[in-house]
Amino acid sequence: DASLLLDISRRANLRVGAAFDRLTVDRADPEEAGREDPEELDQLRGNVVASYRINRLGIAVEAKASDISFVDELDEDSDRQEYEIAPKVSYEFLPALSGFVEPFYRVRDFDNDRDAGGIDRDSDVRGAFVGVSYDLTEILYGDTSIGYFDTEFADDRFDNETGVSVRSRTTWNITPLTTLKGTVSRENLITNEPNSSSRTRFLVGAEAQHELRRNVLVGAKASFFQDDFTDDDREDDNLTFEATADYLVNRYASLAASWDITDRDSSQDGTSFTRNRFLIGIRT
């Protein structure tokens, strides 16, 4: 990926970014097809952020676009473009506390007019967030916001989906060697389930990182998330846990080990599972 920052003036700047990824759909993803070979996709992303600040008032506009293309023709129903624009107005009440309002508009445009089931998956999403950002002497910092989303589907078989959105990310540097991170979110996502228009995901997660020595790092993270499929009886409860360790051999290489557990309890037959995975490797 690549990024560029232009300082237009002391009050204004422009950020431009672009990235390309070759990704594989994880076996634990609810949208994974279950074939012998995992699904591969290419993702091209770009974004532009224009910011302007007047004393305590900040104004920013971000525009994002992405193109998602699956390698196998069997997955072409999921090929799509996504576009989003999100203006944001913030105000600094205190040096360590700011409030903000952030409306957004998102478009999902699928390449195929209709998928294999005859459904038009295109949709428009409108919504807004209201929240606060905080930074307490770099020991505790993050942002928390709550809002709503209203998803309108192109296919007239699906009603609009409206609900509450949540975004909360907090980092706590307990000591110079130990960091704790917490995440809470609720969002509306696309799905390829035949009888469902979308899925709403609620997630709670925590992560801890500790520096045993300057060249030995350990960490652990755990999360719970629930996927509730709209217009369908399917509901997935997911638990994940991961422990990691890194030994930095030098500035160019490290030895890495990890163990993660994923458990899904689904109301749909044949989709519940438990996975244990161990990884040992060298990073350069």
Side-chain angles (χ1 to χ4, degrees):
D1 58 54
S3 61
L4 176 68
L5 171 61
L6 298 175
D7 288 320
I8 300 172
S9 69
R10 295 182 61 184
R11 295 182 175 180
N13 63 58
L14 182 70
R15 296 177 183 268
V16 181
F20 174 81
D21 299 298
R22 166 63 63 92
L23 304 172
T24 301
V25 178
D26 191 274
R27 290 296 194 188
D29 192 300
E31 306 299 321
E32 205 270 333
R35 296 193 293 269
E36 181 178 355
D37 295 324
E39 303 149 88
E40 289 185 309
L41 61 107
D42 294 331
Q43 184 178 56
L44 179 63
R45 295 174 288 123
N47 73 302
V48 178
V49 184
S51 303
Y52 185 75
R53 189 165 190 86
I54 310 173
N55 299 323
R56 296 187 175 188
L57 180 67
I59 301 172
V61 179
E62 180 176 15
K64 297 188 290 186
S66 65
D67 180 87
I68 299 170
S69 178
F70 283 75
V71 175
D72 197 317
E73 292 183 358
L74 293 173
D75 305 310
E76 66 178 8
D77 280 346
S78 296
D79 293 349
R80 63 189 183 275
Q81 292 78 46
E82 296 185 0
Y83 310 95
E84 181 176 332
I85 185 166
K88 181 178 181 179
V89 178
S90 61
Y91 186 82
E92 186 180 276
F93 298 103
L94 299 170
L97 181 65
S98 299
F100 63 86
V101 177
E102 183 180 358
F104 66 88
Y105 180 72
R106 184 182 305 128
V107 175
R108 299 162 177 159
D109 182 18
F110 285 76
D111 289 358
N112 291 345
D113 292 336
R114 296 188 179 274
D115 64 14
I119 298 174
D120 186 348
R121 293 288 178 180
D122 293 350
S123 62
D124 295 344
V125 187
R126 306 168 186 85
F129 287 96
V130 177
V132 293
S133 299
Y134 37 89
D135 186 354
L136 307 178
T137 64
E138 298 183 355
I139 295 176
L140 183 69
Y141 58 91
D143 60 81
T144 297
S145 58
I146 188 169
Y148 77 97
F149 64 86
D150 180 21
T151 305
E152 181 180 354
F153 302 98
D155 200 302
D156 56 15
R157 284 171 285 187
F158 296 136
D159 296 329
N160 286 17
E161 179 68 9
T162 304
V164 176
S165 294
V166 177
R167 291 187 314 195
S168 181
R169 299 160 292 192
T170 302
T171 299
W172 180 21
N173 294 319
I174 302 174
T175 72
L177 303 178
T178 305
T179 299
L180 183 64
K181 298 179 180 181
T183 303
V184 178
S185 66
R186 188 177 191 271
E187 57 183 335
N188 188 244
L189 305 172
I190 65 169
T191 183
N192 54 24
E193 283 290 296
N195 300 318
S196 182
S197 61
S198 62
R199 56 190 167 98
T200 300
R201 171 171 291 184
F202 173 72
L203 180 145
V204 179
E207 179 180 358
Q209 299 173 341
H210 182 68
E211 185 179 309
L212 286 176
R213 300 177 61 182
R214 292 188 63 184
N215 63 336
V216 180
L217 309 176
V218 295
K221 56 184 176 181
S223 67
F224 167 81
F225 62 94
Q226 182 183 79
D227 285 329
D228 185 7
F229 290 77
T230 308
D231 301 318
D232 198 337
D233 293 333
R234 180 177 176 182
E235 186 176 276
D236 295 353
D237 292 335
N238 303 269
L239 285 169
T240 66
F241 173 79
E242 182 180 13
T244 61
D246 289 271
Y247 174 71
L248 310 180
V249 180
N250 54 43
R251 68 178 63 185
Y252 305 109
S254 64
L255 302 177
S258 67
W259 168 43
D260 69 77
I261 304 172
T262 302
D263 180 83
R264 178 200 291 165
D265 181 16
S266 177
S267 61
Q268 180 171 292
D269 293 340
T271 57
S272 299
F273 68 90
T274 299
R275 178 182 70 182
N276 281 269
R277 183 169 56 180
F278 300 88
L279 298 175
I280 298 176
I282 299 175
R283 292 195 183 99
T284 59

